[in-house]
Amino acid sequence: MRAPAAGLASFPALPDDVRLVDLAWNEIAEVPDRVAGLGSLEELRLDGNRLRALPDLSGLAALRALHLDGNELTVFPRCPPGLETLSLYGNRVGALPDRPLPRLRHLSAGANGLTHVPAQWWTLTGLESLNLAENALTEVPAAIGGLTRLRMLDLGHNRLTTVPAELGDLGLTDYLYLSDNLLTEVPAALGRLDRLTYLNLTDNRLARLPDALGEMAALVELRLYGNRLAELPGSLGGLRRLRELHLRGNRLTRLPAALAELGELRVLDLRDNLLTELPEDLPPRLTHLDLRNNRLRELPARLPALEKLDLRWNKLDGEPEVLRGLRERGCVILR
């Protein structure tokens, strides 16, 4: 049964042997009790409706995926123990039950106002993705290191002042979000995440980075904007697969020469820093360089074959020769 975004205001009739129900993005405010008797149901999609409560679904032995993002639920739903995917993002569920669902592989419980995660949830060693973003969490226990099958972890937009070194024990591959917290440092153990491709540490209070960050050899994108970084470790030159590096809104006065070793880097965002100079050599394959609002008076004699260079709100002395060559090859230069 598929009827997403169909303008439905009430739950339609369903055959007893239905296996998938997709009624997302409608105007449904109530799920009838008869749904709890659909013994063949494997997947139920009710995202983006107006639900405030659900019937007891714990008897649906075949149910493996339940999608409830963007509703008005205030109580954690009663689910069958065999459930593998549960999406609750953007509801009003203020607390998780003490007993978790033992077979969960994917949990999205962001934007619910959670202040605490019961200890037993950190023992769900089958979890592959975990989203607890946009809550009010103040701590993450060392026990998170036992979730060794996690590929994706989102703890952004909380109130974390520290994260445990045990994060380095995880098998993360896809992404780690720690943005918009209250972190003043991150553990060197993050360097052990050598299969992770995306790391977001933006909008924290980081004044320095551990040298071990340069050991995260699989990183493709690193976002560090909105911190208090005055310098970068030279070890970042070890990130040979990095394609995007975002450093806007820090306190950088200079860059390490090792930056030139980032052979795959395409995008470098340095706007809103305190740079007075650039290294003589920059990453060779760089295409987009944003230098807005720094303190540059001159440029290196050589720049990569850029496609876009933004120099606004600097005070360069005259017209550097290097810009002439970039213009001739079609680079967009904003001054």
Side-chain angles (χ1 to χ4, degrees), residues 12 16 18 23 34 54 69 75 127 131 137 168-169 176 187 197 200 202 209 221 245 274 279 304 320:
D16 291 340
V18 66
L23 299 173
R34 70 176 184 273
L54 290 173
D69 293 345
V75 177
L127 276 178
N131 185 336
L137 302 178
D169 297 335
L176 172 59
T197 56
N200 191 322
T202 62
L209 299 173
E221 187 167 340
L245 178 56
L274 305 172

Side-chain angles (χ1 to χ4, degrees), residues 15-20 35 37-43 60-63:
D16 291 340
D17 61 350
V18 66
R19 295 173 61 186
L20 182 148
V35 172
L38 298 174
S40 299
L41 188 61
E42 298 175 3
E43 183 171 356
L60 295 178
L63 192 66

Side-chain angles (χ1 to χ4, degrees), residues 287-290 306-310 312 331-334:
T287 59
H288 291 72
L289 177 58
D290 194 337
L306 299 172
E307 295 175 7
K308 182 176 180 181
L309 172 61
D310 199 331
R312 285 176 289 178
C331 177
V332 176
I333 299 174
L334 301 174

Side-chain angles (χ1 to χ4, degrees), residues 70-83:
N71 280 283
E72 301 171 20
L73 300 172
T74 58
V75 177
F76 192 87
R78 298 187 66 180
C79 303
L83 196 69

Side-chain angles (χ1 to χ4, degrees), residues 231-240 245 252-263 265 268 270 275 277-284 300 302:
E231 61 179 1
L232 301 174
S235 63
L236 287 188
L239 304 179
R240 303 300 173 85
L245 178 56
L252 298 172
T253 58
R254 60 186 180 86
L255 301 173
L259 208 66
E261 298 171 17
L262 301 178
L265 197 70
L268 179 57
L270 292 163
L275 294 172
E277 61 179 0
L278 296 177
E280 279 303 311
D281 294 304
L282 290 171
R302 300 183 306 275

